[in-house]
């Protein structure tokens, strides 16, 4: 009760929580107005906005989310922020949706604010969204709070998965031939990592959005493996050829994605469709196994809930 009371009292916040939208009066270099909901797909372009001296930007930060773009922010001819990371080739280029907080200097004269954008994928243009002027600390704290519960649930699922995996390994050592608990634990671990990678909480915590997004792609590619293993073991279909094929496809997909991205032939973002197709086939196959086992009464009633 004391903890909830203390944290619920917002009157003693350290930061100014006020935030003002900053998405109006932006223009491309050709004079066309910028629609942040429909960014152009050019490989390189510039958006700009004229700012009057003594305006609301003083002692504030430019805050927004970006996806699938690298960019440079220039104020009155001076570079104030540059986001052009150089990650290992195996990580690919994409970093998901990531928040940026850019400190703005005080203006003593009118100035032009420019954002020089480099699209990572011209087939699917990136975006800038929720652009605003606010307190940088307040912006990031708000973002962390938004994802905290989801991240904590993932951490709990991860812990349960590790426990199940260890119990399964121990059971196997002592002669228990029911391996489904190992695959169930692995499934919980892979799922929890995959979902937590989708939270900006994890990216901000690691301060490495491209590395975290790489893990996201890897977990999505791996996910069919523990799913197929769990479905096969729990329904007594360990020798199923369809399950072996799905598991092989998943393994080949993982290796090919790493290879093609490392050789700069394709990128994980462009190969997502393959992971989705294999995952779809995995779901269909698992449902068929469960329904077949229920009809043939091979599945114990207590297992239905699992």
């Amino acid at each position: 009760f004391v903890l909830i009371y203390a944290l619920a009292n917002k009157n003693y916040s350290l930061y100014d929580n006020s935030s003002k939208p900053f998405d109006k009066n932006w223009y491309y270099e050709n004079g066309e107005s910028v629609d942040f909901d429909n960014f152009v797909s050019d490989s390189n372009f510039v958006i700009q906005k004229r700012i009057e001296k003594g305006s609301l930007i003083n002692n504030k930060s430019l805050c927004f989310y970006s996806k699938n773009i690298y960019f440079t922010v220039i104020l009155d001819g001076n570079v104030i922020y540059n986001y052009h990371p150089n990650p290992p080739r195996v990580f690919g280029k994409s970093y998901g949706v990531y928040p940026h907080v850019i400190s703005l200097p005080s203006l003593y004269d009118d100035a032009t604010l420019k954002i020089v954008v480099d699209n990572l994928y011209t087939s699917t243009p990136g975006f800038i969204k929720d652009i605003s002027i606010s307190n940088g600390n307040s912006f990031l704290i708000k973002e962390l709070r938004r994802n905290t519960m989801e991240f904590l649930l993932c951490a709990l699922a991860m812990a349960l998965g590790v426990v199940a995996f260890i119990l399964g390994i121990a059971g196997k050592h002592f002669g228990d031939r029911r391996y489904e608990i190992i695959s169930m634990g692995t499934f919980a671990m892979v799922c929890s990592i995959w979902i937590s990678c989708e939270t900006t909480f994890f990216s901000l915590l690691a301060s490495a959005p491209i590395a975290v997004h790489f893990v996201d792609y890897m977990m999505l590619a791996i996910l069919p493996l523990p799913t197929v293993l769990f479905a096969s073991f729990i329904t007594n279909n360990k020798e199923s050829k369809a399950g072996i094929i799905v598991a092989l496809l998943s393994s080949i997909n993982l290796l090919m994605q790493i290879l093609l991205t490392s050789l700069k032939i394709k990128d994980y973002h462009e190969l997502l469709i393959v992971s989705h197709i294999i995952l779809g086939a995995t779901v269909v196959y698992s449902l068929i196994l469960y329904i077949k086992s229920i009809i043939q009464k091979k599945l114990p009633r207590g297992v239905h809930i699992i």
Side-chain angles (χ1 to χ4, degrees), residues 191-208:
C191 272
S192 62
I193 296 173
W194 173 47
I195 296 170
S196 66
C197 286
E198 291 290 328
T199 67
T200 46
F201 189 103
F202 196 6
S203 292
L204 286 170
L205 195 66
S207 190

Side-chain angles (χ1 to χ4, degrees), residues 165-207:
F165 184 83
I166 292 172
L167 288 175
I169 293 292
K172 180 183 176 184
H173 177 74
F174 290 110
D176 188 349
R177 301 195 59 80
R178 296 175 301 167
Y179 299 114
E180 60 268 17
I181 192 171
I182 300 176
S183 51
M184 186 170 69
T186 308
F187 176 83
M189 287 189 284
V190 171
C191 272
S192 62
I193 296 173
W194 173 47
I195 296 170
S196 66
C197 286
E198 291 290 328
T199 67
T200 46
F201 189 103
F202 196 6
S203 292
L204 286 170
L205 195 66
S207 190

